[in-house]
Amino acid sequence: MKVSDILRTTGHYTDDDIRLFEASVMQRKLAKNEVVLPQGQVCKSIFFLIQGSAFQYRQLPDGNQVVDLHVGGEWFTNYQSLISQIPSELTVSAFSECIILEMDLNVMHYLIGRSLAFLQLNKALEGATSRMKFLERAMSPNEKYNLVINQRPELIRAFPLKMLASYLQITPETLSRVRKSIMKPRIS
């Protein structure tokens, strides 16, 4: 995916805007399990996942709670830490080998100062918050899984069921039952 295509996921830009963006952002390769943002560090960047998969999790005494899952073609950040400039309560890590585009918050401000067209980059932040609200509504396990199937099916292919269950805030056993009930042929 070209950098210009990534930028265009947020709106319309001139060729000069695209050249300025390309010169201002950084592409990085991440190894599997490499930490992008450790818990306790202030988030200072917005990321675009060009290739691979990443996740955000909260470290708990009895294991990790998956808070968000990311696949190629998505913008992501630790929204709360980025906006408030407070230490992150979450860890952001590569689940697989990844290629990401990183845009530092200072770079974003610089770009907006050079061209108001870059205000459209706020759509990248909107994407981060909409995914966070994805499962906040009170839903049954079946409704949650059907929402993933219909709106983000790539998560099922990219992540193991245990992580998907944690993301859906259900047990792996419940997820297994839900999947089994969906797979059963409907008899009329």
Side-chain angles (χ1 to χ4, degrees), residues 41-169:
Q41 183 176 318
V42 175
C43 183
K44 296 187 181 292
S45 295
I46 299 169
F47 307 95
F48 185 86
L49 190 54
I50 297 170
Q51 180 181 319
S53 53
F55 66 111
Q56 296 189 44
Y57 62 94
R58 180 174 287 111
Q59 296 171 336
L60 301 173
D62 58 342
N64 295 332
Q65 175 194 13
V66 176
V67 176
D68 210 347
L69 301 172
H70 312 288
V71 293
E74 293 180 352
W75 288 94
F76 70 97
T77 191
N78 183 299
Y79 184 79
Q80 184 178 5
S81 177
L82 180 77
I83 296 302
S84 305
Q85 288 297 283
I86 59 172
S88 175
E89 295 178 6
L90 307 174
T91 299
V92 180
S93 182
F95 178 69
S96 64
E97 289 184 359
C98 295
I99 299 174
I100 64 170
L101 196 66
E102 182 173 357
M103 181 175 47
D104 182 274
L105 197 55
N106 292 326
V107 167
M108 187 173 180
H109 291 144
Y110 165 77
L111 292 172
I112 292 169
R114 294 283 308 268
S115 170
L116 292 179
F118 289 108
L119 285 171
Q120 297 172 96
L121 288 169
N122 284 323
K123 290 181 184 171
L125 295 175
E126 288 171 12
T129 59
S130 68
R131 281 192 296 281
M132 290 186 329
K133 294 178 182 174
F134 182 69
L135 297 169
E136 284 181 2
R137 297 176 285 172
M139 292 186 269
S140 71
N142 277 35
E143 290 170 325
K144 289 178 180 183
Y145 188 69
N146 280 320
L147 196 59
V148 168
I149 288 172
N150 293 323
Q151 293 187 14
R152 298 189 70 207
E154 60 280 358
L155 297 181
I156 297 167
R157 293 184 291 278
F159 296 97
L161 293 180
K162 185 176 180 179
M163 286 181 75
L164 189 58
S166 180
Y167 172 64
L168 295 174
Q169 300 172 2

Side-chain angles (χ1 to χ4, degrees), residues 28-46:
R28 292 176 46 196
K29 288 185 180 184
L30 303 174
K32 181 178 181 173
N33 299 320
E34 185 174 339
V35 173
V36 180
L37 175 70
Q39 180 181 344
Q41 183 176 318
V42 175
C43 183
K44 296 187 181 292
S45 295
I46 299 169

